[in-house]
Amino acid sequence: QQQVKQSPQSLIVQKGGISIINCAYENTAFDYFPWYQQFPGKGPALLIAIRPDVSEKKEGRFTISFNKSAKQFSLHIMDSQPGDSATYFCAASPSGYSTLTFGKGTMLLVSP
Amino acid sequence: KAGVTQTPRYLIKTRGQQVTLSCSPISGHRSVSWYQQTPGQGLQFLFEYFSETQRNKGNFPGRFSGRQFSNSRSEMNVSTLELGDSALYLCASRVSGVDTQYFGPGTRLTVL
């Protein structure tokens, strides 16, 4: 199976709060897991990515947590800001391939 | 460095017509991939080109085709357009051997 399941579909968080988006995958050949952020009218932009040999990766306010045994990974946005309001996609692919399989996306709204 | 550029940005066609979309990758990027984004199916991989050769192909009918030129620029063609082909078509480029893909702004195709 090539699916990547993402939840929730939409999320409303207050300014300063923590936004959490979860993804699960089935294909054990996946070993590259990026998160993309997309604003209306724009293409997806890479936020942060992780590989299975690391359980957590942090870049600024964005953290990926990875659970290899459960085949799950999640994005945490700390101190969420209204400018973070966008659609977030998790994705996965075998390393060295461009064949990203995307989750369905999470529409995040950060209220002021 | 300039990002991935796609032309045209918007296109309106009628059923049965064909369309050609263009993508110029980031300078030095020889791998170009195409994705289709729709509200219902999300982001789906179409195909990848590297050094003028198709390297991977997604699960799309033969009406969808592409090519890559010696300067790494790529085009995708959709023949005999159907209403369901209305979508945002995204191009992404990467350096061979590196997983990070950079997306362009997309071409919004509307089929009437």
Side-chain angles (χ1 to χ4, degrees), chain A residues 31-32 34 36 38 40-46 49 51 87 89-90 93-105, chain B residues 9-10 31-33 35 37 40-45 48 55-57 88 90 94 97-106:
Chain A
D31 62 0
Y32 172 68
Y36 282 85
Q38 186 176 30
K42 305 285 186 182
L46 179 69
R51 297 191 187 279
T87 301
F89 294 93
C90 62
S93 76
S95 186
Y97 289 83
S98 288
T99 55
L100 286 170
T101 299
F102 282 87
K104 293 288 190 183
Chain B
R9 292 293 312 279
Y10 302 92
S31 168
V32 174
S33 297
Y35 293 81
Q37 185 174 23
Q41 298 300 314
L43 278 148
Q44 292 185 285
F45 171 77
E48 179 200 8
R55 215 155 52 162
N56 293 291
K57 189 177 193 307
L88 181 67
L90 292 158
R94 68 185 181 103
V98 178
D99 288 315
T100 304
Q101 292 187 54
Y102 298 90
F103 283 82

Side-chain angles (χ1 to χ4, degrees), chain A residues 3-100:
Chain A
Q3 285 186 334
V4 174
K5 295 182 180 177
Q6 183 172 345
S7 62
Q9 273 188 301
S10 61
L11 184 60
I12 300 175
V13 172
Q14 285 200 326
K15 179 182 174 182
I18 302 173
S19 304
I20 302 174
I21 305 171
N22 300 299
C23 285
Y25 65 99
E26 298 170 4
N27 189 343
T28 54
F30 290 155
D31 62 0
Y32 172 68
F33 302 89
W35 285 88
Y36 282 85
Q37 177 191 57
Q38 186 176 30
F39 293 103
K42 305 285 186 182
L46 179 69
L47 265 181
I48 187 172
I50 199 168
R51 297 191 187 279
D53 54 345
V54 175
S55 61
E56 186 174 282
K57 183 175 180 180
K58 184 176 179 179
E59 288 184 5
R61 296 184 295 109
F62 300 93
T63 300
I64 300 180
S65 297
F66 190 88
N67 186 330
K68 187 175 181 178
S69 60
K71 291 189 281 188
Q72 294 175 347
F73 58 111
S74 60
L75 175 69
H76 295 230
I77 306 174
M78 312 301 287
D79 186 27
S80 298
Q81 299 297 312
D84 296 332
S85 298
T87 301
Y88 292 81
F89 294 93
C90 62
S93 76
S95 186
Y97 289 83
S98 288
T99 55
L100 286 170

